[in-house]
Amino acid sequence: MNLLLEVLWLLVTTIYFCLEAFVKLFAPVKRKSVRGETVLVTGAGHGIGRLTAYEFAKRQSKLVLWDINKHGIEETAEECRKLGAEAYAFVVDCSKREKIYSAAEKTTKEFLPAMMSINHGHIVTVASACGLSTLPFLVSYCSSKFAAVGFHKTLTQELAALGKDGIKTSCLCPVIVNTGFVKNPSQRLLPLLEPEHVANTLMEGILTNQKMIIVPPILNVLLMLERLLPERAIAGVSRLFEVKFDVAVGCKDKGKQVGTLSIVISYTKSNS
């Protein structure tokens, strides 16, 4: 097939896929069952990880729970058992590769290779809206979340290229969640997200095999505007939303802090 025919065929299929997606907006979505499925939840000792574990427990999944906090992970496991689920807690520091391998030997032994051998499973990457857009004074955090989103997208493409369509992937990208990660957060036009709402939305996305789970959905519009509008117009939109939180700015010399300033910042300006 020559290039011209390929382009024409691409146009035809693109129109068809767009119409198909439009129809699906109004069609009831079939939810899959996770009853009896083995589910590994990292960071399950607190926050969204813990609440997500509870959602799986309510659906009678078999839970393998990891967290660096022994007390927190045991509390989560106990609550999951009260909900009628089989739950196993492991203290794992996910920043250390050898700890992950050691824990894997006690639990599922293999993750992705085992999924690929049976062409079944679901991999969820927890990222952030900061992996799609940025905030000042969060360079390291935003960079790590962009990496998480990139991991999700690359893995999704790789599984598709290998024909492993039975393995689903999802990536969670919420705006600021009220978990205490940042101090005194506020947003003018968007409410702060509660962890329970994020966990429920994540569960719905998993059950319906959503690729990108962006919370709240209006963020999709803002991301599109960010790609279409001039830079100064984007700055104006940022000021309109006025995302704020406290941040400490300082420098160190030979281990001693020589200056620090507590400020409140938004996308485009800072106020003392």
Side-chain angles (χ1 to χ4, degrees):
M1 185 181 294
N2 62 40
L3 181 60
L4 179 59
L5 289 177
E6 286 187 26
V7 171
L8 291 174
W9 179 246
L10 175 61
L11 290 174
V12 171
T13 55
T14 299
I15 293 172
Y16 172 79
F17 293 144
C18 288
L19 291 173
E20 181 185 49
F22 180 75
V23 171
K24 285 183 177 179
L25 290 175
F26 304 97
V29 180
K30 183 179 179 181
R31 289 162 177 78
K32 66 184 180 184
S33 173
V34 292
R35 186 182 183 88
E37 296 280 3
T38 299
V39 179
L40 168 65
V41 182
T42 60
H46 65 286
I48 295 173
R50 168 178 281 182
L51 295 171
T52 302
Y54 291 166
E55 290 300 316
F56 277 107
K58 293 173 186 176
R59 292 163 176 81
Q60 305 302 297
S61 299
K62 178 180 178 180
L63 289 158
V64 179
L65 307 172
W66 287 7
D67 199 279
I68 195 172
N69 185 321
K70 184 177 187 294
H71 178 69
I73 198 67
E74 289 178 348
E75 275 190 347
T76 302
E78 183 59 30
E79 187 63 31
C80 288
R81 295 184 191 111
K82 290 179 181 178
L83 292 169
E86 190 176 349
Y88 303 90
F90 297 90
V91 177
V92 181
D93 183 352
C94 289
S95 68
K96 298 180 179 179
R97 181 179 298 179
E98 64 274 13
K99 297 294 184 180
I100 296 174
Y101 289 160
S102 175
E105 289 175 0
K106 299 176 184 177
T107 55
T108 56
K109 292 190 177 181
E110 294 181 286
F111 303 123
L112 185 56
M115 292 182 189
M116 292 177 67
S117 67
I118 59 174
N119 193 25
H120 179 74
H122 199 133
I123 300 172
V124 179
T125 302
V126 177
S128 165
C130 287
L132 302 170
S133 188
T134 56
L135 282 172
F137 302 102
L138 290 178
V139 174
S140 297
Y141 182 77
C142 290
S143 298
S144 68
K145 295 307 178 182
F146 266 84
V149 172
F151 166 81
H152 158 75
K153 292 185 175 181
T154 305
L155 178 62
T156 300
Q157 287 191 339
E158 187 169 311
L159 291 170
L162 293 171
K164 301 298 181 180
D165 57 352
I167 303 175
K168 308 302 180 183
T169 60
S170 296
C171 183
L172 175 67
C173 293
V175 296
I176 298 176
V177 185
N178 190 22
T179 59
F181 177 72
V182 293
K183 294 183 178 180
N184 302 319
S186 66
Q187 301 173 113
R188 180 189 287 176
L189 298 182
L190 295 175
L192 290 178
L193 298 175
E194 293 301 324
E196 293 81 4
H197 172 67
V198 176
N200 290 335
T201 305
L202 173 59
M203 195 72 229
E204 178 69 10
I206 293 170
L207 297 180
T208 55
N209 294 325
Q210 293 179 36
K211 287 286 189 292
M212 294 296 297
I213 306 170
I214 297 177
V215 192
I218 188 64
L219 184 59
N220 286 291
V221 177
L222 301 178
L223 292 171
M224 183 174 63
L225 290 176
E226 190 177 77
R227 286 160 175 77
L228 296 176
L229 296 177
E231 183 177 352
R232 288 195 291 179
I234 295 171
V237 173
S238 298
R239 284 193 295 271
L240 183 66
F241 279 83
E242 200 175 38
V243 178
K244 294 181 179 179
F245 54 90
D246 290 350
V247 61
V249 178
C251 57
K252 293 183 179 181
D253 182 22
K254 295 182 179 180
K256 295 182 179 180
Q257 185 170 303
V258 296
T260 184
L261 175 66
S262 179
I263 63 174
V264 177
I265 69 166
S266 69
Y267 276 112
T268 56
K269 61 182 180 181
S270 61
N271 304 305
S272 57

